[in-house]
Amino acid sequence: MNLPDGYIDVPPGKQAAVVTSLQMTARPEARPERPADGWTLRRVERPDLDWYRDLYRRVGQDWLWFSRMSMPDDALAAILHAPAVEVYALEVDGMPEGLLELDFREPGECELAFFGLTAAAQGTGAGRWLMNRALERAWAHPITRLWVHTCTFDHPAALSFYRRSGFVPFRQQIEIADDPRLTGALPRDAAPQVPIIERP
């Protein structure tokens, strides 16, 4: 599809992000990590939806993660309770401070569907520790491809972190969606670095 160069208006009430998808086709060497400092990884079987949404919000609200906040209960449960989806919590001294979700529903591959830390865990080395655990668990399955996507609303270091972890970019897209702060999916003060353009 040929798109013209230049600017394209985003309608008021909407947000637009550039989404970059990345992949790896072989397990990379584990990168050096700090020793676990009160960190544990706990698999959460059939997670309670309120528990999941709370952790998802605490990890992603600053970066306008909204898809799971606006998803109906039955649709969210169908994903999280699927046998081929694994949900993990990074716990810091027993408190959930990180989210890891691996989706094996497509045969032969895994999507790193969600990966992130709360503000309290960022900058501690927990991200590298969690990524090493993610790679171990993903490549323990008979897959030939592991992929993830990030966007321009995500943590500023997310894209470079994924590339340092062994992922290679292969696709870019523009995502346009209702601003979740105007729909009520997120509070209005979420992600203050992203301006709200009100509908007239």
Side-chain angles (χ1 to χ4, degrees):
M1 177 174 64
N2 290 324
L3 292 176
D5 291 344
Y7 296 99
I8 298 174
D9 284 342
V10 177
K14 299 281 189 177
Q15 287 291 343
V18 178
V19 179
T20 301
S21 295
L22 307 96
Q23 66 184 356
M24 59 174 67
T25 55
R27 180 177 175 177
E29 292 290 328
R31 290 178 58 86
E33 62 184 45
R34 295 182 189 174
D37 183 15
W39 306 329
T40 56
L41 188 65
R42 179 172 68 91
R43 181 165 181 190
V44 184
E45 303 275 0
R46 297 183 63 83
D48 174 81
L49 300 187
D50 288 339
W51 174 90
Y52 176 89
R53 285 192 178 111
D54 175 70
L55 180 55
Y56 178 94
R57 177 191 56 77
R58 292 193 298 116
V59 168
Q61 179 170 288
D62 288 345
W63 318 112
L64 283 190
W65 289 16
F66 67 90
S67 61
R68 297 290 173 83
M69 301 302 293
S70 55
M71 190 176 288
D73 285 357
D74 57 348
L76 181 57
I79 296 171
L80 299 181
H81 299 166
V85 173
E86 299 179 4
V87 176
Y88 296 88
L90 168 68
E91 296 186 339
V92 180
D93 297 324
M95 291 294 296
E97 299 290 353
L99 175 64
L100 168 61
E101 186 177 327
L102 300 173
D103 187 338
F104 296 94
R105 289 178 295 172
E106 188 68 30
E109 66 180 54
C110 174
E111 179 186 1
L112 181 57
F114 289 98
F115 178 96
L117 304 173
T118 65
Q122 291 171 18
T124 65
R128 171 56 51 205
W129 187 88
L130 182 59
M131 177 57 76
N132 283 349
R133 306 291 83 73
L135 296 175
E136 289 170 3
R137 280 154 179 77
W139 289 102
H141 291 252
I143 62 170
T144 57
R145 176 177 181 257
L146 172 63
W147 73 282
V148 64
H149 71 268
T150 185
C151 78
T152 47
F153 290 154
D154 210 346
H155 190 289
L159 182 57
S160 60
F161 175 80
Y162 289 132
R163 295 183 74 173
R164 289 195 307 273
S165 299
F167 290 93
V168 177
F170 71 92
R171 184 182 190 185
Q172 283 193 317
Q173 300 167 286
I174 303 293
E175 179 184 26
I176 298 177
D178 289 334
D179 190 320
R181 298 163 297 183
L182 296 177
T183 65
L186 292 176
R188 285 186 65 95
D189 61 355
Q193 73 278 11
V194 181
I196 297 175
I197 308 298
E198 299 273 7
R199 295 184 180 91

